[in-house]
Amino acid sequence: MNENLWSDERPHHCFEVIDSRSGLKLSNHLQIHCFELDKVRYLHEEDSSPRAAWLHFFAEGECWATVPDRFRRPSVEASMSILERYRDNRHDFEVYRAREEWLRVQATIERSNREFEEQLAKERAEKEKERAGKELLQAKVKELMARLGETGEG
């Protein structure tokens, strides 16, 4: 994920399919892992676990010349070689960059839409508050007018 979905500092969340009533897990092999790459900075510098290696690779791998020693694992190095292939092959690299640019544009559009919706909701709330205030004033005026009518008749 290029944006943070949850408010905690953990960059990795693992979700499993579990029956809500019995707690029975459907399978040990069915999980959804979400990596919030912006939170990689919260990892301890000395953490060289496989999870930390992958999180750093996804967040920073494009900037690496080689895999840092503490993250050397066959799977990470294989992924690094694919990344290097994209760097070396102009066409593959351009396809990769076009996809990254599309993702950035989509994120910008989504963020703009969210901000617009929030602003619209704020304006609607302000108008509703203003309308409610006017209605309250009209009710008070009506009440006062009724009181004046009562005292004028007696």
Side-chain angles (χ1 to χ4, degrees):
M1 308 286 174
N2 287 332
E3 60 186 59
N4 295 332
L5 299 178
W6 298 281
S7 60
D8 65 348
E9 292 182 356
R10 292 180 24 225
H12 175 232
H13 293 273
C14 176
F15 299 95
E16 298 176 328
V17 180
I18 298 175
D19 179 31
S20 60
R21 289 189 179 169
S22 68
L24 181 66
K25 191 185 305 184
L26 181 64
S27 169
N28 287 331
H29 304 289
L30 182 59
Q31 299 174 335
I32 298 173
H33 293 264
C34 293
F35 301 111
E36 296 174 286
L37 300 180
D38 190 46
K39 294 180 181 178
V40 169
R41 67 179 176 272
Y42 294 119
L43 292 174
H44 295 288
E45 190 63 33
E46 65 277 358
D47 187 352
S48 61
S49 67
R51 179 183 61 96
W54 281 111
L55 286 168
H56 280 281
F57 176 79
F58 290 137
E60 306 162 353
E62 189 177 61
C63 302
W64 291 350
T66 60
V67 178
D69 288 340
R70 68 186 179 124
F71 298 137
R72 287 200 178 277
R73 287 174 181 70
S75 56
V76 175
E77 289 186 339
S79 296
M80 187 68 187
S81 71
I82 291 169
L83 188 58
E84 288 170 349
R85 187 187 89 207
Y86 282 125
R87 288 183 189 149
D88 295 341
N89 182 311
R90 186 77 178 155
H91 178 273
D92 289 349
F93 181 71
E94 291 303 324
V95 170
Y96 167 76
R97 295 306 265 169
R99 180 181 179 280
E100 288 296 308
E101 181 60 24
W102 182 86
L103 288 172
R104 274 190 284 278
V105 168
Q106 291 303 312
T108 301
I109 290 170
E110 289 171 13
R111 186 173 44 254
S112 295
N113 286 342
R114 260 193 321 275
E115 290 170 358
F116 174 75
E117 291 296 328
E118 289 169 3
Q119 182 64 30
L120 189 58
K122 183 179 176 182
E123 289 173 7
R124 285 179 180 159
E126 288 172 1
K127 285 183 180 181
E128 179 59 29
K129 185 178 177 181
E130 185 179 311
R131 186 192 60 74
K134 284 180 181 178
E135 286 179 1
L136 181 62
L137 285 174
Q138 287 173 343
K140 286 183 179 185
V141 166
K142 192 174 184 179
E143 181 185 334
L144 286 173
M145 295 296 286
R147 284 185 187 173
L148 286 173
E150 289 175 11
T151 56
E153 294 176 0

